[in-house]
Amino acid sequence: MNSFSFQNPTKIVFGQGTVGQLANLVAPFGKTVLVVYGGGSIKRSGLYDQVIAQLNSIGAKVVELSGIEPNPRLTSVNKGIELCRSEKVDLILAVGGGSVIDAAKAIAAGTKYEGDVWDFMMHKAEIKDALPIGTILTLSATGSEMNGNAVISNWETKQKRAFGSLHVYPRFSILDPTLTYTVPRDQTVNGVVDIMSHVFEQYFTLTENAPLQERLCESVLLTVIENAEKALENPNDYEARANLMLCGTMALNGGLISVGTQNDWASHGIEHEISAIYDIPHGAGLSIVFPNWMKHVYKERIDRFTQYAERVWGIERGTKSDEELALAGIEATREFFTRIGAPSTLAYYDIDSEHLDVMSREAVLFGPLGNFKKLHQEDVRQILENAL
Amino acid sequence: MNSFSFQNPTKIVFGQGTVGQLANLVAPFGKTVLVVYGGGSIKRSGLYDQVIAQLNSIGAKVVELSGIEPNPRLTSVNKGIELCRSEKVDLILAVGGGSVIDAAKAIAAGTKYEGDVWDFMMHKAEIKDALPIGTILTLSATGSEMNGNAVISNWETKQKRAFGSLHVYPRFSILDPTLTYTVPRDQTVNGVVDIMSHVFEQYFTLTENAPLQERLCESVLLTVIENAEKALENPNDYEARANLMLCGTMALNGGLISVGTQNDWASHGIEHEISAIYDIPHGAGLSIVFPNWMKHVYKERIDRFTQYAERVWGIERGTKSDEELALAGIEATREFFTRIGAPSTLAYYDIDSEHLDVMSREAVLFGPLGNFKKLHQEDVRQILENAL
């Protein structure tokens, strides 16, 4: 285990009906609230009306920014920053999934920064301050509701970049599993893949002697696998939705389940390059990339992959070699993704080899990707080719 | 899964040499620091000198309160409160194990309260404010370094009582596994039992449909069991000490591993009555109480105990009945405690039946104990009798 420091100040308020606590949660932060959301789904579901009623009940002034994209764009972030400044916003309330929350984080940090907010994504500046953020989560996926990370797309430069800071951890996040009942099937699937992928990025590590962290990761994976199909079969299964929601948060709540270990994050880097150009859903991109990443890297530490096969997929070793067992675990991953309806090839989105060069070059812009195996441009290209 | 809210703002700084970060961690809180510690062990180990050097390096004024007892006493807490007021202390720095940290929490809350600090333990007042606390942990056990709980003994009234508040979560905790190298064998053992007991109090629940929480609990138990004997055989085994330390923190970091489930805490209540009268180590008392509590309650939800036997102790069901499997898990617990040298009977401390009446009466002072099975006075007496 390596040395580490860990802090996660976000308060989560979890359960059916917890939106009713919004007024009390918002009140300490001030009177002017920027409500950030995506399309019309929160209006159709009635959540929007609930939120406004809660804010009205404490006499809050409501400012709105809607239309946040599934891969949230810098243009939307800049609109939000302008609103926060002109309206003197006290609190940003993100109502939605990871994209909306990520946009809120960029807006919160950008408002307190004199330069271009894109500087944070390009590692040109460090976040020193941010407006407070609250969230109401409507999709189990990114964990953005309980961490300080965000990913923003710059459509002009075709770049999708991440940043992170303790300053943009939400002050509170309302997690009501019933809000996810109406999430469409494909988005539920993408969320499941996203949660599992976040665990993969932490679980596949070269760090030795972290048995608790390994088990915490496996706990999340097992519980997601156990509940995904239940939620897909019966979208109103409260327990399945609640378990997925808690798994999504635990999978990436500031790195708690992998403290003291080196994370990888190469697959996310590769996926970001795909969706920067093709604007496909993040979870779908990960479903395509991850099994191919696994096959490219598993020999670096085969015992981690055999443990994965045995503990997560319950595959018995029997007479299998390490290699066979590791590959069986990777194959089980791919089969599970396929069974729940997640794509396995770039061809699913009519993506061909045209942009493989630019994607693999951009992926390593700041140096080799990942840690389990350092991926150079040719590795990334190979993984993408195998994903065609 | 039940609804819940969760927040844990403590920053943990984990790893060998992290005491070197103390000066930077203390600086934001002010200039006057009350250093709270127990006996001479931190002077013998050199930790005391390190702490003072760090504090001197930022020009801090150091006030000291030493001699905190293993079951920290109200008299020591009151001394600390006086010091904080007279010296206008800005930060309380607890250097030690759970007892020292618990005393610091009571001092922190009591300083900001005009009435008698014992009011908090008797549920007569609620904590509204507290001085900030930092900790340097020297013993893996209570989790007090990352939660808002404390237990204080009132030697005059022979009462041992707990309190909890978000206000007394440490602002930072330094966790250096090498500081536990010199912990005596029996205290290491008691710490192991304490950690496991904290998980038991959360794991044995009637709450249904909390599969992630169950697995998180099992993860901690498996990792403690795997590392306890390694640490006992080789006290300087960094990885074993680090794993135990992380397990201690995770076992009770504000209830993260059991969010949305009803906890029990009856065994802690019973143990507190024993050590309130006989002043035995908390972990030793738990080692005596817990297997007897298990045998008294397991029929309330036998599937939880069969799962425990299978997943934690790896006991195969074979032809065993539920009853046999559950009892095998309980027996495995008792055997493990015995194997590492933890006591299993009150007779070990020459405790006879003399005070069983008063202990069982005091245990239910605020009503029946626990939730897995509601324990009335006669249940508590029965468990204690079985423990003789």
Side-chain angles (χ1 to χ4, degrees):
Chain A
M1 194 187 319
N2 303 330
S3 297
F4 66 89
S5 70
F6 175 85
Q7 184 176 26
N8 189 334
T10 300
K11 176 176 186 165
I12 55 172
V13 181
F14 190 106
Q16 180 162 15
T18 45
V19 175
Q21 297 180 44
L22 179 64
N24 286 336
L25 290 165
V26 166
F29 294 98
K31 282 291 179 196
T32 305
V33 179
L34 175 68
V35 180
V36 181
Y37 56 101
S41 67
I42 69 164
K43 293 201 169 164
R44 285 191 300 277
S45 71
L47 175 58
Y48 174 85
D49 291 338
Q50 265 186 289
V51 168
I52 298 300
Q54 284 280 316
L55 294 176
N56 285 344
S57 75
I58 51 168
K61 180 185 164 195
V62 176
V63 184
E64 294 194 27
L65 176 66
S66 63
I68 301 296
E69 305 81 6
N71 286 311
R73 298 187 184 184
L74 182 60
T75 46
S76 297
V77 170
N78 279 323
K79 265 190 231 167
I81 292 171
E82 275 175 44
L83 277 172
C84 284
R85 287 179 181 157
S86 62
E87 302 290 335
K88 299 197 187 343
V89 165
D90 298 310
L91 174 80
I92 302 175
L93 181 66
V95 184
S99 303
V100 171
I101 300 173
D102 283 9
K105 288 175 180 175
I107 294 167
T111 301
K112 296 278 191 173
Y113 176 63
E114 288 190 4
D116 182 352
V117 67
W118 190 247
D119 290 351
F120 298 136
M121 294 68 165
M122 296 309 281
H123 305 191
K124 283 188 197 163
E126 199 189 329
I127 295 170
K128 299 261 173 62
D129 195 10
L131 280 177
I133 300 164
T135 89
I136 300 175
L137 187 67
T138 61
L139 180 68
S140 304
T142 69
S144 193
E145 65 277 10
M146 202 176 180
N147 66 44
N149 307 325
V151 181
I152 301 296
S153 291
N154 184 336
W155 208 242
E156 280 177 37
T157 62
K158 295 255 189 278
Q159 286 174 312
K160 183 174 177 179
R161 296 274 163 217
F163 71 93
S165 165
L166 190 63
H167 294 287
V168 296
Y169 274 71
R171 304 301 181 93
F172 64 83
S173 283
I174 292 174
L175 281 68
D176 181 344
T178 68
L179 297 178
T180 66
Y181 285 176
T182 53
V183 171
R185 185 184 174 91
D186 62 331
Q187 285 186 39
T188 299
V189 169
N190 290 341
V192 163
V193 175
D194 198 27
I195 296 169
M196 291 177 69
S197 298
H198 289 160
V199 181
F200 293 154
E201 300 284 21
Q202 300 168 81
Y203 182 69
F204 294 108
T205 178
L206 299 182
T207 307
E208 303 280 353
N209 287 311
L212 178 61
Q213 297 91 321
E214 292 167 18
R215 290 191 175 101
L216 298 178
C217 287
E218 289 156 357
S219 296
V220 177
L221 291 172
L222 284 161
T223 309
V224 171
I225 293 164
E226 193 176 77
N227 285 276
E229 285 169 287
K230 290 182 191 169
L232 290 170
E233 277 156 29
N234 177 9
N236 290 16
D237 180 336
Y238 182 81
E239 294 298 342
R241 290 290 195 179
N243 289 329
L244 287 180
M245 192 168 242
L246 186 60
C247 282
T249 303
M250 283 295 295
L252 204 56
N253 61 350
L256 181 73
I257 61 171
S258 68
V259 286
T261 68
Q262 191 178 44
N263 290 187
D264 190 76
W265 297 104
S267 299
H268 270 71
I270 298 171
E271 193 291 316
H272 289 174
E273 297 312 324
I274 303 171
S275 53
I277 293 181
Y278 296 101
D279 203 18
I280 67 171
H282 177 55
L286 289 168
S287 171
I288 296 165
V289 170
F290 241 113
N292 289 294
W293 174 84
M294 289 178 176
K295 277 195 123 164
H296 192 82
V297 307
Y298 72 94
K299 290 180 182 169
E300 297 295 309
R301 185 178 168 186
I302 203 157
D303 64 317
R304 176 46 50 94
F305 276 89
T306 56
Q307 180 176 318
Y308 170 67
E310 290 182 301
R311 290 200 193 168
V312 174
W313 295 106
I315 299 168
E316 287 183 25
R317 178 179 276 275
T319 57
K320 291 183 194 70
S321 66
D322 275 1
E323 172 111 10
E324 288 165 338
L325 185 55
L327 289 172
I330 296 170
E331 194 48 38
T333 313
R334 195 192 292 267
E335 278 170 14
F336 176 76
F337 287 170
T338 300
R339 196 160 72 241
I340 62 173
S344 61
T345 62
L346 290 167
Y348 180 91
Y349 287 107
D350 294 325
I351 298 173
D352 59 21
S353 61
E354 185 186 351
H355 295 299
L356 292 198
D357 279 335
V358 61
M359 289 192 282
S360 51
R361 193 175 60 237
E362 274 285 318
V364 298
L365 185 65
F366 296 124
L369 271 191
N371 291 303
F372 191 79
K373 179 182 169 80
K374 294 270 177 208
L375 302 184
H376 299 275
Q377 189 176 342
E378 55 274 24
D379 294 294
V380 175
R381 204 193 144 93
Q382 188 60 57
I383 289 168
L384 287 168
E385 265 180 27
N386 293 341
L388 285 171
Chain B
M1 194 188 319
N2 304 328
S3 296
F4 66 89
S5 71
F6 175 85
Q7 184 175 26
N8 189 333
T10 300
K11 175 175 187 166
I12 56 173
V13 181
F14 190 105
Q16 180 162 16
T18 45
V19 175
Q21 297 181 43
L22 179 64
N24 286 337
L25 290 165
V26 166
F29 293 98
K31 281 292 178 195
T32 306
V33 179
L34 175 67
V35 179
V36 181
Y37 57 101
S41 67
I42 68 163
K43 292 203 170 165
R44 285 192 299 277
S45 72
L47 175 58
Y48 174 85
D49 291 338
Q50 264 186 289
V51 168
I52 298 300
Q54 284 281 314
L55 294 176
N56 286 343
S57 76
I58 50 168
K61 179 184 163 195
V62 176
V63 184
E64 294 195 27
L65 175 67
S66 64
I68 302 296
E69 306 80 7
N71 286 311
R73 298 185 185 186
L74 182 60
T75 45
S76 297
V77 169
N78 280 323
K79 264 190 234 167
I81 293 171
E82 275 175 44
L83 278 172
C84 284
R85 288 178 181 156
S86 62
E87 302 290 333
K88 300 198 185 346
V89 164
D90 297 311
L91 174 80
I92 302 175
L93 180 66
V95 185
S99 304
V100 170
I101 300 172
D102 283 11
K105 289 175 179 174
I107 295 167
T111 300
K112 295 278 191 174
Y113 176 62
E114 288 189 3
D116 182 352
V117 67
W118 190 246
D119 290 353
F120 298 136
M121 293 67 164
M122 296 308 282
H123 306 191
K124 283 187 196 164
E126 200 188 328
I127 295 170
K128 300 259 172 64
D129 194 10
L131 280 177
I133 300 164
T135 88
I136 300 175
L137 186 66
T138 60
L139 180 68
S140 304
T142 69
S144 193
E145 66 276 9
M146 202 178 180
N147 66 44
N149 308 324
V151 181
I152 301 297
S153 292
N154 184 336
W155 208 241
E156 280 175 36
T157 62
K158 295 256 187 278
Q159 286 173 311
K160 184 173 176 178
R161 298 271 162 220
F163 71 93
S165 165
L166 190 63
H167 294 288
V168 296
Y169 274 70
R171 303 301 182 91
F172 64 83
S173 284
I174 292 174
L175 281 67
D176 180 343
T178 67
L179 297 179
T180 66
Y181 286 175
T182 52
V183 171
R185 185 182 174 92
D186 62 331
Q187 286 186 39
T188 301
V189 168
N190 291 340
V192 164
V193 174
D194 198 29
I195 297 168
M196 292 177 68
S197 299
H198 290 161
V199 181
F200 293 154
E201 300 284 21
Q202 301 168 82
Y203 182 70
F204 294 108
T205 177
L206 300 180
T207 307
E208 304 279 355
N209 287 311
L212 179 61
Q213 297 91 321
E214 293 168 18
R215 290 192 176 101
L216 298 179
C217 287
E218 290 156 356
S219 296
V220 176
L221 290 172
L222 285 161
T223 308
V224 171
I225 293 165
E226 193 176 77
N227 285 276
E229 286 168 285
K230 288 183 194 168
L232 291 169
E233 277 157 31
N234 177 8
N236 290 16
D237 179 336
Y238 182 82
E239 294 298 343
R241 291 290 195 179
N243 289 327
L244 287 181
M245 192 167 242
L246 186 60
C247 282
T249 303
M250 285 294 296
L252 204 56
N253 62 349
L256 181 72
I257 61 171
S258 68
V259 287
T261 69
Q262 191 178 43
N263 290 186
D264 190 75
W265 297 104
S267 300
H268 270 70
I270 298 172
E271 193 290 317
H272 288 174
E273 298 311 325
I274 304 172
S275 53
I277 293 182
Y278 296 101
D279 204 19
I280 67 172
H282 177 56
L286 289 168
S287 170
I288 296 165
V289 170
F290 239 114
N292 290 294
W293 174 85
M294 289 178 175
K295 276 197 124 164
H296 192 83
V297 307
Y298 73 94
K299 289 180 181 168
E300 298 295 308
R301 185 177 170 187
I302 203 156
D303 64 317
R304 176 47 48 95
F305 275 89
T306 56
Q307 180 176 318
Y308 170 67
E310 288 181 302
R311 291 200 193 168
V312 175
W313 295 107
I315 299 169
E316 289 185 21
R317 177 180 276 276
T319 58
K320 291 183 193 69
S321 66
D322 275 1
E323 171 111 11
E324 287 166 339
L325 186 55
L327 289 171
I330 296 170
E331 194 48 38
T333 313
R334 196 192 292 269
E335 276 169 17
F336 176 75
F337 286 171
T338 300
R339 194 160 72 242
I340 62 173
S344 61
T345 63
L346 290 167
Y348 181 90
Y349 287 108
D350 295 326
I351 297 173
D352 58 21
S353 61
E354 186 185 351
H355 295 300
L356 292 197
D357 280 335
V358 62
M359 288 192 282
S360 51
R361 194 174 60 236
E362 273 286 318
V364 297
L365 185 66
F366 296 123
L369 270 191
N371 292 301
F372 192 80
K373 178 183 171 78
K374 293 272 178 208
L375 302 184
H376 299 275
Q377 190 177 341
E378 55 274 24
D379 295 294
V380 176
R381 203 191 144 93
Q382 188 61 57
I383 289 169
L384 287 168
E385 265 180 26
N386 292 342
L388 285 172

